Each structure stands twice: as C-alpha cells, then as structure tokens.
C-alpha cells in the first residue's frame, strides 16, 4: 500500500517546485513473537513464556516503553532482568534524534540475543501507521502512534493465543499518555511503579532515574543558584553579542573555579574565567554553556588555592567562597554561566560517601574525576556499596540543590582491586574495550594464511634485505623494521618497512569501522587494549623475525652526511632477520667483535641517526622531558615489585629519528598528490602566556628563557644550567613540556597552518604505526593511491569526512594518554601500598597558597603537600586514592605507548 503527500515549495529564484513524498505500508511485517505462527518468517525474538515475577503483572507479558522511558531509564532497560521488550520504530527514531549515546546503548541491547528485544517497524505497518491530525503536535502524534501500536499488539496476541494469558504492558511516565492509554483499554504503568512491583529485585529501584518532580521533593526550598535562561533567549543573546558560547572546563584543583573556552573563531576573547558556585551555576565539566562577561572592573585572576569539596555529606551546606582569594596582578576576562546549551553527562565512576544519619537512603557519591561535582543519590544498599567502586548517572540539577541528583547504575567491584581499578580508568577515559564482535571478526583473513603469487607480482620482493626490528622487551605488535646497506656507488640505502595493515583492513567494512572508532591501541601497565584483533596485531601484521610479512616500505638513497638523494615508496614483502630489544641492539653496536650484517646495519643506522638528530636540533626541534618510570611485574601475582626511572639508550633515539624521517617524507608525498585531503599532524606554537611558569622558574635562578621561537626556546634550555644542581635543567624541560599545546591530526584542505612546532618541521604525519594508530592506516591508503598501488574510495577524498575522522582520532589519542598515565599512577600506588614512609629526594614544582606541588624524579611521582595551617605543612607527601587524571595540558611529547618517540 502506498500513501503519498504532494505539496509545492517556492524556490529562492522565485520558481515553484512540486514535492511528492511517498510512504509505503505493508501488512506482512512480523510481530516477532514465538506464539505467532501466521506472520513468522524468521527466528522468533520475543519468547512465548515471557515470565518475570511482578506483583502487578502475574501473567507473561511483553513491555513497550515510550520514548522518554528509553531516554531516561536506559540503565533499567539494560539490566539482565528486563527481557522481551518491543522497541517501536517511532521510539527508536526519536531516541536517535535526541541522544546519540542512548541510541547506541538501546541498539546494543537489541542486538544482544539474551535480552529478546525486538524492533517493530510500526511506521510501515498498514494497521499501526497513523497520519498526523490537524492541530496535533508532532509529540502528541508520536504518543498516539505508540498507543496504536500497543493496542495492535494486544489484539494481535490475544487472537494468536485464543485470549490466553500473554499480555502487553505499556510503560510511560507521561500522565496524559497514561490516561489516554487506559481509555484505550491498555495495560499501562509508570516505570517506577512497574519496577517497584518486581519481586526479589530491590536493587533495581536504585537504578531508576529521578523525574523532575522527584528531584524537587528531595531538595530544599531555598534558591542556591540563579535560574537558567531559556534556549530562545540564549540564542538571541549569542546572536547580538550579549552572551558567549563555549565549553566549560572545571578546575581539577579548585572546585570553585573553571573556565569556558569560546568555540567561535574570530572572537576577541578565547576563554572566560568563572569563580564561585553561583557563577559556575550548575555547569558540569564539558557542558556547552552560555556565559555573560562581566565589566572589566570586575575581572579577576585565577586562584592560587588548592581547594577540594569536603562539605558535610548530609546537608546542603552553603560554601564559603571568601577563602578563594586571588592575585589581582594578572586579571582575566571573567563572567558567569547564564544557561546550559548542551549537557555532556555520562555515567561517572567513583565511591559512595555514606550519610552519617542512621537509616538514611540519600547519600553523596564522590566521582573519581575531581572535575565532576559530588552527586546525591538514593539507595537502600549503601552499607554494601561502601568501599566499592560504583557507577552513577546524573538525572538533573535543580536550582535549589547544592549538588546534582542522580541514580546508581552498577557496582564495579572493590576499590583497590587491580581489575576493578583498570575497569574504572578505562570507563572514565572512554576507552572502548569490549571484545571484538563476530561481525568484526568475520572480516579477518582465514587461517592458515600465506603470501600468494598475486602478492609477489604486485610487490617489491625485499626478503633478501637484512632488515630487523628494535622494540621494548616483550613487544608483540611490531610495526616497523629498518635496514641500512652500502650501495655500489658508495652511497647508503636506508629503508623503513612498516606493517601493511591496510592490506587486511579494507575501507568501510565492520573491521575498518571498529578500528576507526577505537582510533588507537591503549597501553596500560600489564595490559593492552588493541585497536585491531590480535590475529592482526600480534601475528599477521606483526613484523616478527624469520617470517614473511607484507610491508609498506619507504626507502632512501643517502650520502654519508645523511642527506637524502632519492626517496622511493613501495608495497613490499620482507623477512625480518632479527627482533631485537633496545638493549640487545645497543650491545651489538657497542661490541667491536661483532661484524655480522645485522650489526653493520645497526651501526650505519645509528651513525646516520646522530647526524639527523643534530640537524633537527639545529633547526629548533625541542628536547623536552617528562618523568617516566618502568615497573617490574611479579609473574604470578602481576603486582609491581620494583619501580625505576626509564633509561633511554642510543638505539631509542636511532629508531625515533628514522620514524620521524619516514613520517616527514610520507607527509610531503601525500600532500603533493592530495593537497585537499591529506591527513597530516601539526603542533601549534604555544601562546606567550603559556610560558609564564617556565620563565618564572628560570628567573628564580637568574636565568633567562627566550620563547620567540622554538629555536630560541631550545637554545635557552640548553644554556639553562645551575652549578651543583644538575637536575634543574631537567625540571625546566618538564615545565617546558607542560607549556606545550596538544599535537593534533587535521585535514590539509581544512587548515592552512601545517607547522609542527616541537619537531621544527614544516609538514608532518603519522605513517609508522598502523597496527596501533588508525591515522596511519588512512595515510597508508593515501600513499598507496599516490603510487598506484591501490584504488581510492569516496570518503578518502572527502575533506569534510576526513576532518570529522580527525576529531575522533584526536579525542581517542588524548583519552588514551590520560588512561596510560592513570594506569602508571595506580600501579605506583600499589607499589607503595605496604612500603610505609620512604625518604627520597624531591623537588618543588609549584607553590600554591595552601600547598606545594612536589616531584620525586626517582619514582616519577607528583603530589601535593597541604598546609595544616598558615605556617606548618603536613609532615608527609600524600597522594589521592582516586583514579588519578592529568592536571596539565597534554604535552607534544607523546607518552611511550610502544617506543619512546618524540612524536611518532
């Protein structure tokens, strides 16, 4: 059956355009139930015996939730107890439009076979599709469509079971919708009353999201915050310049302070400082907000106080904001939040602070991330949740409540347990870590796999070359190998051979989409979260020794002064002659008795690398520093048994230099071929204000730091030495690292500034680690098209889609860095757990009004020593028991995920 609607539309040029919209209706759409023998055409989803013990519904029944129940009670719907649910097409469409995260979660539930969730396409069924009536709002029409579909199911199942006991229950929290459904003769309940009726599952009540009416009941009557302006006033205010739109970033060290980073280009003001609870006005970290700028005479400077929210947990105490004193010497644009444009809430991990009031059901939850405010929740299982890591979701933040209201989601396990804490840091940093789905795994090559005759025809056969890999101990995902040999003309041939991951991952399939979503492999202490399945990462793509592998080779002809005479790119086949650690490679180079081909190749590479590094530094490349440690893990308990600073060898630098050179060479090649859609990487130069802490630190020792250019900064750091204090230069380099901006991926057709500040290179990309970085896979595809080794596809040449991909990759890389650091911090805490008090050399990095920030280089530890009063510091350095985050800008020097490289 075809329904159509015709109307005319006036075009910009004044013409008239006739538009016909067709809507196809069918009568053969399956209901999805086991009991129906008439319309069944595939394996049933909804069970015949859909039994769940309930005081309200003592009969087998299917649930039909309306849109708001799915949006607000997704934590309930995800519970294993809730099964046999009909998700209507109209509900799914509305959820998709209103919340992408909830849409993904409900789709995951639909795909989970054990849940028995069925999607019914009511909008295309002849008996359930309805037209919108005159004067009827879109929302009212959709509610009516839900009632019509529920009525159809009720009648349909009654016929199939001869009036049997199988029923349909509609869940809605909308009073009007519920009343009209009852008039239809439907069984309908509010979500809360249905969940309360379930027998033997009281914990589900904790997972109920609070409705606005419920939130008002549990808060006081006193107004604590200004009213948020309606969206219409916010939009007009932004348009006429009265308000600014930006993303709110809470201060990790002071809960009464935050900044709003203005999103619009061309604004004179890039960030606005907020101080005090009323001016923060219920904004939560990462919310998109509207701010009103104060007059200049009311601008203030950032606070130098370290301040954490430790108010009583059982009352709405007003915060004393007079302690938040500021230094008036450096004023910043200051303002207040007038409204919320978009909430970016997610489930948060943390711990319950049990109320001191006996028999209380309302308690405060303290998130692991200090930038998130404490959350008030209702739970009857508080005694069991104390000492546990739990997840909580925010439901709302009324203007008369000191804290946002939320609900319990799930218990993750005991605090301090390695598995629990690892799960927490992965969730907190949004690291995808679920097992690869069967859809993804189906695109892996069938085993046994081998190189084919076709591969040999289209690739350079380099199996005779003496290539080898140099990696950290225990590395199984070997991305790169190198070789160096002398040519007959006296020049040198140097090759970097990279795993050809793009051969196995083809554009657009499920494997490719999953890798693009994950963006990067995440390396934790004793655990690796792969970007691609292990068959590829540790086997078929890993360039292990003595096996034939597919590679993408970048080969240069150089003179002995490391000057490139020719560059050549080719798909290849290699056979690595050795898989070495940095220490093993260094030993070969240093042992004068070793004369084999591998050692000769390493010595040649090492000599050229020193020249390349010297040339880079002369151009202004930065040599920065960050405290890094390495753990020795017990093979049985997997606990850290020793901890020491990482020692870098010449071979670390050797590998780094050739990876940098390959990345620069490939960047130039793909940009020359595809000037509008090359995926590149840049490192913006920091604004002058970023260097304030570095300049101040240097002046404390009568040293000058020049920051006019990367070269000036590099020279200043090289000259910044203090007699009898050799570590001072390292401290300055650590501070300089924190002054840097984030290095980011971008599409060449969407930007004009390509310069890489830290490497002093005019152009750069990532090519050398496709096993662990999706950006490198895209670069491989671009390079393959450039040398006619592969065909292109539309998304590869679409600069807008490339730019959107870069945004995701930048986010995933940043979160991976944070997760890696949090893992190191947690294992450091494990190491010190039973050590008692240790005497060790430390250095003061920063001085705050009520604390000093100290670095202990030997352990890579940084923490705050708080002052008990104005004159006396606490006797010991203590570190928070929360999952640590990062309180400084992410430096350009990317952390060691596999190899310690500056930006590889």
């Amino acid at each position: 059956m075809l329904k159509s609607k015709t109307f005319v539309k006036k075009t910009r040029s004044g013409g008239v355009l006739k538009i016909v919209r067709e809507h196809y209706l069918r009568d053969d759409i399956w209901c999805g139930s086991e009991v129906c023998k008439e319309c069944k055409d595939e394996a049933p989803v909804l069970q015949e015996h859909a039994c769940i013990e309930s005081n309200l519904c003592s009969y087998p029944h299917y649930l039909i939730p309306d849109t708001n129940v799915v949006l607000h009670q997704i934590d309930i719907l995800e519970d294993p107890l809730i099964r046999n649910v009909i998700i209507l097409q109209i509900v799914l469409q509305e959820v998709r439009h209103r919340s992408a995260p909830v849409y993904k979660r409900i789709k995951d539930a639909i795909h989970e076979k054990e849940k028995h969730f069925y999607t019914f396409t009511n909008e295309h069924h002849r008996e359930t599709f309805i037209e919108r009536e005159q004067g009827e709002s879109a929302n009212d029409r959709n509610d009516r469509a839900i009632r019509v579909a529920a009525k159809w199911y009720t009648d349909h199942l009654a016929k199939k079971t001869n009036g049997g006991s199988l029923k349909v229950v509609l869940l809605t929290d909308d009073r009007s919708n519920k009343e009209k459904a009852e008039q239809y003769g439907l069984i309908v309940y509010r979500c809360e009353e249905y969940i309360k009726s379930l027998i033997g599952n009281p914990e589900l009540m904790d997972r109920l999201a609070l409705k606005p009416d419920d939130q008002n009941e549990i808060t006081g009557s006193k107004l604590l915050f200004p009213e948020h302006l309606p969206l219409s006033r916010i939009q007009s205010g932004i348009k006429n310049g009265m308000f600014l739109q930006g993303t709110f970033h809470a201060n990790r060290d002071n809960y009464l302070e935050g900044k709003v980073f203005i999103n619009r280009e061309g604004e004179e003001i890039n960030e606005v400082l907020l101080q005090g609870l009323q001016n923060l006005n219920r904004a939560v970290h990462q919310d998109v907000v509207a701010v009103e700028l104060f007059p200049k005479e009311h601008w203030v400077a950032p606070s130098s106080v370290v301040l954490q929210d430790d108010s009583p947990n059982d009352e709405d105490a007003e915060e004393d904001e007079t302690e938040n004193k500021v230094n008036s010497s450096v004023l910043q644009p200051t303002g207040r939040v007038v409204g919320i444009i978009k909430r970016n809430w997610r489930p948060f991990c943390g711990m319950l602070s049990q109320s001191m009031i006996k028999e209380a059901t309302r308690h405060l939850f303290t998130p692991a991330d200090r930038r998130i405010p404490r959350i008030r929740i209702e739970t009857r299982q508080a005694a069991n949740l104390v000492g546990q890591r739990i997840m909580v979701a925010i439901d709302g933040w009324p203007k008369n409540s000191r804290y946002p209201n939320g609900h319990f989601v799930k218990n993750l396990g005991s605090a301090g347990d390695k598995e629990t804490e690892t799960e927490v840091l992965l969730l907190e940093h949004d690291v995808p870590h679920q097992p690869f789905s069967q859809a993804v795994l189906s695109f892996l090559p069938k085993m046994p796999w081998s190189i084919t005759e076709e591969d040999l025809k289209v690739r350079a056969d380099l199996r005779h070359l003496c290539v080898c890999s140099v990696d950290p101990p225990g590395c199984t995902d070997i991305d790169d190998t190198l070789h160096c040999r002398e040519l007959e003309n006296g020049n040198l041939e140097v090759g970097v051979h990279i795993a050809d991951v793009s051969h196995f991952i083809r554009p657009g399939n499920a494997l490719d989409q999953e890798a693009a979503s994950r963006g990067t492999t995440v390396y934790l202490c004793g655990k690796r979260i792969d970007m691609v399945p292990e068959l590829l990462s540790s086997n078929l793509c890993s360039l292990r020794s003595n096996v034939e592998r597919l590679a993408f080779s970048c080969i240069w002809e150089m003179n002995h002064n490391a000057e490139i005479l020719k560059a050549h790119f080719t798909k290849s086949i290699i056979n690595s002659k050795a898989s070495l650690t940095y220490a093993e490679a260094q030993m070969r180079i240093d042992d004068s008795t070793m004369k084999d081909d591998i050692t000769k190749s390493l010595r040649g590479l090492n000599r050229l690398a020193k020249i390349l590094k010297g040339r880079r530094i002369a151009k202004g490349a930065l040599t920065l520093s960050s405290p890094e440690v390495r753990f020795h893990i017990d093979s049985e308990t997997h606990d850290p048994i020793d901890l020491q600073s990482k020692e870098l060898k010449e071979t670390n630098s050797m590998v780094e230099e050739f990876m940098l050179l390959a990345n620069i060479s490939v960047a130039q090649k793909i940009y020359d071929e595809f000037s509008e859609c090359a995926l590149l990487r840049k490192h913006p130069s920091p604004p002058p204000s970023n260097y304030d802490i570095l300049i101040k630190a240097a002046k404390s020792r009568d040293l000058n730091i020049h920051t006019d250019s990367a070269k000036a900064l590099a020279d200043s750091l090289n000259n910044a030495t203090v007699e009898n204090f050799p570590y001072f230069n390292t401290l300055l380099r650590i501070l300089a690292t924190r002054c840097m901006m984030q290095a980011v991926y971008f599409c060449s057709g969407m930007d004009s500034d390509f310069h890489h500040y830290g490497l002093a290179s005019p152009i750069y990309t990532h090519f050398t680690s496709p096993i662990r970085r999706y950006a490198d896979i895209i670069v491989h595809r671009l390079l393959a098209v450039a040398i006619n080794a592969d065909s292109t596809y539309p998304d590869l040449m679409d600069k807008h889609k490339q730019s959107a991909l870069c945004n995701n990759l930048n986010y995933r890389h940043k979160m991976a860095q944070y997760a890696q650091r949090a893992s190191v911090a947690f294992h450091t805490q494990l190491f010190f757990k039973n050590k008692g008090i240790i005497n060790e050399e430390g250095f003061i990095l920063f001085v705050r009004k009520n604390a000093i920030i100290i670095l202990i280089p030997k352990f890579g530890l940084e923490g705050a020593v708080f002052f008990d009063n104005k004159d006396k510091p606490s006797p010991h350095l203590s570190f928070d028991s929360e999952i640590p985050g990062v309180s400084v800008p992410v430096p350009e020097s990317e952390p060691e995920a596999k190899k310690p490289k500056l930006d590889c």
Side-chain angles (χ1 to χ4, degrees):
M1 180 178 173
L2 173 66
K3 297 182 78 68
S4 63
K5 186 180 290 185
T6 305
F7 58 96
V8 293
K9 181 181 178 182
K10 190 175 181 181
T11 65
R12 286 185 179 179
S13 60
V16 175
L17 180 67
K18 182 180 178 181
I19 296 176
V20 179
R21 287 186 178 163
E22 296 180 338
H23 192 89
Y24 290 88
L25 299 179
R26 301 170 59 175
D27 56 10
D28 61 347
I29 295 175
W30 182 38
C31 67
S33 174
E34 275 183 341
V35 303
C36 183
K37 311 300 180 185
E38 183 179 311
C39 59
K40 181 167 69 174
D41 61 355
E42 53 185 286
V45 177
L46 300 166
Q47 297 171 300
E48 180 176 356
H49 303 290
C51 297
I52 181 170
E53 291 188 275
S54 165
N55 292 324
L56 288 174
C57 309
S58 57
Y59 38 78
H61 58 276
Y62 300 151
L63 296 174
I64 298 182
D66 74 359
T67 304
N68 283 322
V69 168
V70 175
L71 283 169
H72 302 302
Q73 307 295 353
I74 184 65
D75 293 319
I76 293 288
L77 294 174
E78 286 179 326
D79 192 277
L81 182 72
I82 306 300
R83 293 177 294 173
N84 293 293
V85 176
I86 300 165
I87 303 295
L88 300 177
Q89 177 191 1
I90 186 63
V91 169
L92 204 56
Q93 288 172 344
E94 282 195 282
V95 169
R96 183 177 188 177
H97 176 69
R98 291 169 61 181
S99 174
V102 173
Y103 177 74
K104 183 181 184 304
R105 291 170 69 181
I106 195 65
K107 287 287 284 184
D108 288 344
I110 291 168
H111 291 141
E112 193 176 332
K113 289 184 179 179
E114 295 76 13
K115 295 282 290 175
H116 299 281
F117 276 39
Y118 178 65
T119 305
F120 179 64
T121 50
N122 65 297
E123 293 293 274
H124 290 281
H125 195 291
R126 185 165 55 87
E127 295 182 41
T128 58
F129 172 77
I130 60 169
E131 297 275 9
R132 183 173 169 184
E133 297 176 348
Q134 189 170 4
E136 186 177 39
S137 70
N139 186 61
D140 287 344
R141 181 265 169 200
N142 292 344
D143 284 347
R144 186 162 59 90
I146 293 170
R147 295 193 297 272
V148 168
K151 177 66 173 171
W152 178 85
Y153 256 104
T154 299
D155 296 342
H156 181 75
L157 293 176
K159 291 176 187 175
K160 303 308 171 189
T161 59
N162 295 318
S165 61
L166 183 60
K167 308 290 184 184
V168 172
V169 175
L170 175 63
L171 296 182
T172 179
D173 289 326
D174 185 296
R175 185 178 303 168
S176 173
N177 193 23
K178 185 173 184 291
E179 290 173 355
K180 290 175 181 176
E182 287 168 342
Q183 292 169 13
Y184 258 58
L186 297 174
I187 302 171
V188 55
Y189 296 111
R190 289 184 297 108
C191 189
E192 182 181 355
E193 63 181 327
Y194 176 79
I195 296 301
K196 276 183 177 178
S197 78
L198 299 181
I199 300 170
N201 292 279
E203 70 281 355
L204 267 183
M205 284 298 298
D206 289 350
R207 303 183 71 177
L208 277 170
L210 292 174
K211 304 187 299 296
D213 292 344
D214 298 331
Q215 293 186 46
N216 290 331
E217 285 178 14
I218 65 172
T219 56
S221 58
K222 182 179 179 181
L223 278 181
L224 299 177
F225 296 100
E227 186 88 59
H228 285 151
L229 297 180
L231 196 57
S232 57
R233 280 194 60 189
I234 290 173
Q235 289 171 337
S236 62
I238 291 172
K239 192 173 181 180
N240 63 31
M242 184 182 297
F243 305 139
L244 297 172
Q245 176 179 325
T247 304
F248 172 67
H249 286 230
N251 187 327
R252 190 186 299 274
D253 296 320
N254 187 338
Y255 76 100
L256 295 177
E257 187 171 275
K259 285 188 177 182
V260 174
F261 292 88
I262 307 306
N263 300 337
R264 193 192 305 177
E265 291 185 10
E267 289 284 355
E268 291 183 14
I269 294 173
N270 296 320
E271 57 187 61
V272 177
L273 179 66
L274 310 176
Q275 287 189 346
L277 286 177
Q278 293 224 333
N279 293 331
L280 296 174
N281 198 9
R282 294 169 284 158
V284 177
H285 183 66
Q286 293 291 354
D287 282 349
V288 180
V289 301
V291 292
E292 180 183 41
L293 205 61
F294 292 155
K296 281 192 176 182
E297 58 266 25
H298 293 142
W299 288 6
V300 297
S303 171
S304 59
V305 173
V306 178
L307 197 59
Q308 296 178 20
D309 185 0
D310 55 0
S311 59
N313 70 357
D314 56 355
E315 59 182 80
D316 274 337
E318 290 186 66
E319 292 302 320
D320 181 4
E321 298 176 16
T322 60
E323 292 298 317
N324 195 14
K325 297 175 183 176
V326 298
N327 179 1
S328 61
S329 60
V330 187
L331 303 180
Q332 292 186 7
T334 310
R336 68 185 183 102
V337 171
V338 295
I340 306 295
I341 296 170
K342 182 186 176 186
R343 290 290 194 187
N344 275 316
W345 295 343
R346 57 176 175 82
F348 301 103
C349 302
M351 297 185 71
L352 192 73
S353 303
Q354 191 173 11
S355 173
M356 292 180 286
I357 301 174
K358 243 185 176 182
E359 306 299 325
T361 60
R362 295 170 189 165
H363 309 270
L364 283 181
F365 163 82
T366 303
D369 187 342
R370 290 203 302 266
R371 296 169 299 186
I372 306 301
R374 292 200 281 177
I375 302 165
R376 182 188 285 105
I377 68 170
E378 285 203 43
T379 177
R380 293 156 186 80
Q381 49 179 331
N384 297 328
L385 296 179
V386 171
Q388 302 288 298
R389 291 285 187 186
I390 64 174
M391 285 184 75
V392 162
I394 297 178
D395 298 324
W397 196 343
K399 60 191 175 188
N400 53 350
S401 174
R402 168 65 182 82
Y403 299 108
N405 297 320
H407 66 274
F408 169 80
V409 175
K410 67 177 175 179
N411 188 349
L412 299 171
S414 298
D417 174 75
K418 284 199 296 293
E419 290 301 317
T420 300
E421 298 296 357
T422 298
E423 177 72 7
V424 168
L425 71 89
L426 290 173
L427 290 169
E428 277 296 288
H429 297 98
D430 196 17
V431 175
H433 58 288
Q434 67 279 7
F436 290 101
S437 68
Q438 284 303 313
V440 170
L441 298 176
S442 69
F443 286 95
L444 292 174
K446 301 296 181 283
M447 298 299 286
W449 174 88
S450 62
I451 291 170
T452 65
E453 288 298 321
E454 184 61 29
D455 293 325
L456 289 167
K457 288 178 185 176
V458 298
R459 292 173 177 268
D461 189 349
L462 306 180
R463 290 175 289 181
H464 62 286
L465 291 179
C466 187
V467 305
C468 67
S469 60
V470 184
D471 292 281
C475 179
T476 61
D477 53 341
I478 302 174
D479 289 285
D480 53 84
T481 59
L482 307 96
H483 87 273
C484 176
R485 64 173 180 168
E486 191 162 339
L487 300 174
E488 292 181 358
N489 62 8
N491 291 328
L492 299 172
E493 180 187 85
V494 176
V496 168
H497 313 276
I498 306 300
D500 190 4
V501 182
S502 62
H503 172 84
F504 297 96
I505 301 180
R506 303 308 297 166
N509 65 27
L511 177 56
D512 182 50
Q513 291 171 4
E514 181 67 17
S517 174
R518 295 189 178 213
T520 181
T521 294
V522 181
Y523 295 82
L524 308 178
C525 297
K527 188 181 180 74
R528 188 179 81 201
I529 313 297
D530 281 327
M531 181 184 78
V532 299
E534 190 176 15
L535 178 63
L536 296 183
S537 66
S538 296
N539 188 351
L540 300 185
C541 292
S542 184
L543 305 181
R544 300 181 299 180
S545 57
N546 302 314
V547 290
E548 295 180 354
R549 288 289 179 258
L550 303 180
F552 210 149
S553 299
C554 175
I555 301 172
W556 304 278
E557 183 177 338
M558 293 182 173
N559 59 26
H560 287 264
N561 197 32
E563 294 169 334
I564 298 173
L565 306 176
K566 293 179 186 175
H568 176 56
F569 308 98
T570 183
K571 294 260 187 167
S572 61
I573 302 172
I574 65 168
N575 190 322
S576 174
K577 302 302 184 284
S579 299
L580 305 173
T581 66
Y582 291 116
E584 289 168 345
Q586 192 67 53
M587 183 193 69
R588 282 175 172 267
I589 292 170
D590 295 340
D591 188 348
S592 58
T593 64
M594 299 191 74
K595 307 288 187 183
D596 59 279
D597 290 343
I598 293 173
T599 304
K600 287 179 183 177
S601 177
L602 289 169
R603 288 182 183 136
L605 290 166
N606 195 43
R607 187 183 65 80
L608 292 171
K610 290 178 180 178
I611 299 171
L612 290 169
K613 184 173 183 178
R615 195 174 293 150
R616 272 198 315 110
I617 291 173
K619 288 180 180 177
L622 297 175
T623 304
L624 301 178
S625 182
S626 61
E628 292 187 70
V629 295
R630 183 180 298 282
F631 294 98
H632 295 281
I633 305 293
D634 186 282
S635 59
E636 293 183 4
T637 66
H638 302 291
D639 287 335
I641 55 176
D642 193 15
L643 177 152
Q644 61 189 50
S645 298
K646 290 182 180 177
E647 180 187 352
L648 300 184
K649 303 181 182 297
E650 280 186 0
T651 44
N652 292 82
S653 179
M654 176 190 78
V655 173
E656 177 185 337
E657 289 305 319
F658 286 105
M659 298 304 110
L660 293 174
L661 188 63
N663 288 334
I664 292 169
S665 297
V666 170
Q668 192 62 59
K669 177 67 176 177
I670 63 173
Y671 177 66
D672 289 344
E673 295 289 335
F674 308 109
S675 60
E676 287 294 300
C677 57
L679 192 154
L680 302 176
R681 187 163 176 83
K682 69 174 182 177
H683 180 212
S685 56
S689 59
N690 278 30
Y691 290 117
D692 290 348
I693 58 169
L694 176 64
I695 293 170
K696 187 175 180 181
K699 281 186 176 177
S700 70
R701 296 284 177 155
D702 297 323
L703 297 171
N704 292 319
I705 298 292
H706 301 287
T707 60
D708 304 337
S709 65
K711 180 74 167 67
L713 175 60
D715 291 342
S716 297
L717 290 173
N718 290 338
N719 296 327
T721 57
V722 175
E723 192 175 349
N724 299 323
F725 191 179
Y727 196 74
F728 184 75
N729 186 263
T730 303
L731 285 174
L732 287 184
R733 292 182 189 275
I734 290 171
L735 290 179
T737 301
R738 300 174 185 212
C739 299
M740 295 297 110
M741 302 291 285
Q742 173 84 48
V744 292
Y745 297 111
F746 69 101
C747 178
S748 58
M750 304 292 285
D751 207 327
S752 57
D753 177 18
F754 294 5
H755 187 71
H756 198 293
Y757 181 82
L759 298 176
S761 177
I763 195 167
Y764 192 67
T765 194
H766 274 165
F767 165 76
T768 54
S769 294
I771 292 177
R772 63 186 180 97
R773 289 188 308 229
Y774 188 76
D776 303 55
I777 293 177
I778 295 296
V779 170
H780 277 227
R781 290 173 181 170
L782 288 165
L783 184 60
V785 175
I787 64 171
N788 297 315
D790 205 345
S791 56
T792 187
Y793 57 98
D795 285 5
L796 192 66
M797 298 294 138
D798 188 325
K799 65 180 182 180
H800 297 285
K801 289 187 177 178
Q802 287 278 49
S803 184
L805 173 64
C806 288
N807 290 338
N808 179 61
L809 296 180
N810 291 330
Y811 171 73
R812 291 297 185 201
H813 276 256
K814 181 171 67 173
M815 290 297 103
Q817 288 176 330
Y818 290 174
Q820 287 158 198
R821 294 175 186 180
S823 180
V824 169
F826 171 64
H827 278 75
T828 303
Q829 291 173 10
L830 281 183
F831 175 73
F832 284 109
K833 191 173 181 180
N834 300 312
K835 300 290 183 186
I837 296 175
I838 295 176
N839 293 317
E840 189 57 54
E841 184 178 48
F843 299 96
I844 296 175
L845 282 181
F846 306 105
V847 178
R848 303 290 186 234
K849 287 210 175 216
N850 62 334
I852 51 178
I853 313 300
I854 287 181
L855 172 71
I856 303 175
K858 180 177 178 180
F859 303 123
L861 273 177
E862 185 179 323
V865 176
F866 287 91
F867 293 96
D868 290 337
N869 54 48
K870 290 184 178 180
D871 306 310
K872 190 189 299 181
S874 300
H876 307 302
L877 178 61
S878 61
F879 298 89
D880 296 327
S881 59
E882 65 172 323
I883 289 297
V886 180
S887 59
V888 296
V890 180
E892 163 51 23
S893 300
E894 299 182 9
E896 177 178 333
K898 180 166 135 343
K899 301 181 175 71
K901 303 169 185 172
L902 183 60
D903 190 11
C904 293

